[in-house]
Amino acid sequence: MSLPELSLHGLERPDSLGSVCERLAERAARGEKTVLLAGGTDWFVERHVAPATDGSEAELVLDVSRLPELRGISASGDTLWIGAATTYLELRRHPVVAARVPLLPAMSKDVGAVQIQARGTLGGNLATASPAADGVGALAALDATVHLLSVRGPRSIAISDYFTGYKRSVRAADEVITGFTVQMPGEGSFQYWRKVGTRLAQAISKVALAGVAEVSDGQVTRLGLGMVSVAPTTAFLPTVRALALRRPLDRIADSALDAATQADVSPIDDVRSTGDYRRHVSGALVREFFRTLRSR
Amino acid sequence: MIVRLEVNGERRLVDLPPLTRLLDALRGPLGLTGTKEGCGEGECGSCTVLLDGDPVNACLVATAQCEGRSVTTVEGLGALDGRARETGGLSLLQAAFVTEGGAQCGICTPGMLIAAEALLRETVDGANRKPTDTEIREAVAGNICRCTGYQRIVDSIAQAAALRRRVSPADWVRENLPFAKAEGTRGLL
Ligand SMILES: Cc1cc2nc3c(=O)[nH]c(=O)nc-3n(C[C@H](O)[C@H](O)[C@H](O)COP(=O)(O)OP(=O)(O)OC[C@H]3O[C@@H](n4cnc5c(N)ncnc54)[C@H](O)[C@@H]3O)c2cc1C
Ligand code: FES
Ligand code: FES
């Protein structure tokens, strides 16, 4: 079965980021819908489920998948830049990422299957602001900065300030996500990724936890956590962070971690799991994170 | 929109609405019906093709996004081998699926073969080593088979990996698929 409704959408391939911003601004001012197509792994599925029904309603598609400004990974000192159109497979293959931020390839390996990893991008993962986004969980644990651009200029936002609600964010209709910066964890840091789904591949997370910690003289000096599918947005677990940061590791009790985790999550029942199961797994993952950290 | 791309080593041109799925461009105007559609949503992998060497789901790629890029479909596997005539049109990997029972109804097979080909290029061709059992299973984790169970598919890929360096496809096919030389095995897959 082909998808003839796809022919209702126009497609443009702007040759620079500037022209993408101009096109978005013009169209947003007229109230017209525009979609940026990166890997297409979310957009094509949405069109398969809900095809456009008439040409005037069909959103215009701007292909941003090959814009040089959105592509590439580069390190400068301890700062890592990841362009929004970077794919999971590129994250898996990058030597600096593998050496300094192994959390990212570990997460990427668990996204869909290799066919999805070869196309899906981090920018596309954030854009939909879904709490089930694995890439965003990892970016949350890394306390990444999100970079946005529009005709009004660039702005940078801490990822913890990005979400305003379920599938909602501070990003305006005319803004492009250009990329992310991350302060790479130091040598000897602890990085953790564990995804719990129905099976290892092609499963959206029931719960997943990304974590980053640095410990100095037995004290937690850096702590980042991002939990997936346990709240209306990616969960940053602020209570757990506050409990453990700058604390001696051996004085962080499991019972306190459990209470903090439960205060930070508000999971629901849905097609993939139940709220009860998610609460149980949330606690278990946070405990496992600290148990592994302590035993290093 | 006119899109120029390379398909199985040949330069091709299609004129289609730009968001036409690569899957429909292949099965329609490009006349390559080896690539199958299962779910249309990226889940089953039956539409897997190589795009610039990486496996992708052709049901999730816009034809316009393939401008200037190279696509390999199941039809290209034997042909790209350069010894297609001797092997009855099959690559060693395809032939291994025949002898090891990696294919039954065959709907998933083109996608399985392409996903496996990507793995063999990375491990055998790229790093001169055999893939591990886990790597094989991960490589086809995005490909669903209704018929065989997965063990025979994994065995087929392992067999192809073991042989890929050691024998020429022609020799192997002559030994294992004696009918191939005489009749050609194109119809089998
Ligand atoms: C079979 C399957 C399995 C999957 N498994 C997982 C999984 O395990 N974990 C997971 O997290 N996700 C999964 N996904 C979802 C999807 O692959 C990811 O969310 C992916 O990161 C989306 O990126 P994309 O480039 O393909 O997005 P696209 O489909 O190209 O775009 C999605 C949305 O993002 C917007 N967008 C894209 N780039 C930008 C930008 N630079 N600036 C602003 N807006 C932008 C688009 O306008 C569009 O609205 C899966 C999908 C499929 C089909
Ligand atoms: S048809 Fe493309 S993945 Fe199923
Ligand atoms: S051989 Fe029939 S689906 Fe795999």
Side-chain angles (χ1 to χ4, degrees), chain A residues 35-43 45 84 88 110-112 116 120-121 123-125 127 132-134 171 176-177 195 202-204, chain B residues 41-43 60:
Chain A
V35 67
L36 304 180
L37 188 67
T41 59
D42 274 324
W43 191 78
V45 175
Y88 300 101
D110 280 354
V111 171
I116 299 295
T121 67
N125 202 228
D134 290 328
R171 182 165 63 88
V176 182
I177 303 165
K195 171 168 169 169
Q202 300 290 54
I204 303 294
Chain B
E41 296 191 355
E43 294 280 350
L60 302 180

Side-chain angles (χ1 to χ4, degrees), chain A residues 17 45 60 62 69 94 121 144 152-153 159 174 202-203 210 240 250 257 266 269-270 281 292:
Chain A
L17 195 50
V45 175
L60 174 72
L62 304 182
E69 296 99 321
H94 198 278
T121 67
R152 285 164 283 117
I159 193 162
D174 65 348
Q202 300 290 54
V240 179
D250 56 9
L257 284 172
S266 50
D269 293 352
D270 66 10
V281 174
T292 320

Side-chain angles (χ1 to χ4, degrees), chain B residues 3-15:
Chain B
V3 179
R4 291 176 182 81
L5 68 169
E6 194 187 285
V7 184
N8 297 332
E10 280 174 32
R11 277 200 240 157
R12 303 288 299 260
L13 178 153
V14 285
D15 188 0

Side-chain angles (χ1 to χ4, degrees), chain B residues 102-109 112 144-148 153:
Chain B
Q104 283 189 25
C105 82
I107 284 288
C108 73
T109 312
M112 289 284 180
I144 291 175
C145 176
R146 178 70 181 77
C147 305
T148 66
I153 292 172

Side-chain angles (χ1 to χ4, degrees), chain A residues 173-190:
Chain A
D174 65 348
E175 278 183 312
V176 182
I177 303 165
T178 53
F180 310 93
T181 44
V182 163
Q183 284 309 112
M184 290 190 280
E187 218 167 283
S189 67
F190 175 56

Side-chain angles (χ1 to χ4, degrees), chain A residues 200-282:
Chain A
L200 279 176
Q202 300 290 54
I204 303 294
S205 293
K206 292 172 192 263
V207 182
L209 176 65
V212 173
E214 285 175 16
V215 177
S216 170
D217 294 332
Q219 278 214 350
V220 181
T221 52
R222 173 177 177 168
L223 179 63
L225 297 165
M227 198 177 263
V228 175
S229 292
V230 292
T233 67
T234 304
F236 292 80
L237 307 188
T239 318
V240 179
R241 288 179 186 227
L243 171 76
L245 191 61
R246 281 179 283 280
R247 285 287 165 83
L249 248 185
D250 56 9
R251 299 245 290 277
I252 307 168
D254 276 359
S255 55
L257 284 172
D258 274 340
T261 308
Q262 297 311 319
D264 284 337
V265 301
S266 50
I268 56 165
D269 293 352
D270 66 10
V271 287
R272 291 190 201 100
S273 189
T274 64
D276 283 348
Y277 180 74
R278 288 181 159 125
R279 277 196 179 279
H280 174 79
V281 174
S282 304

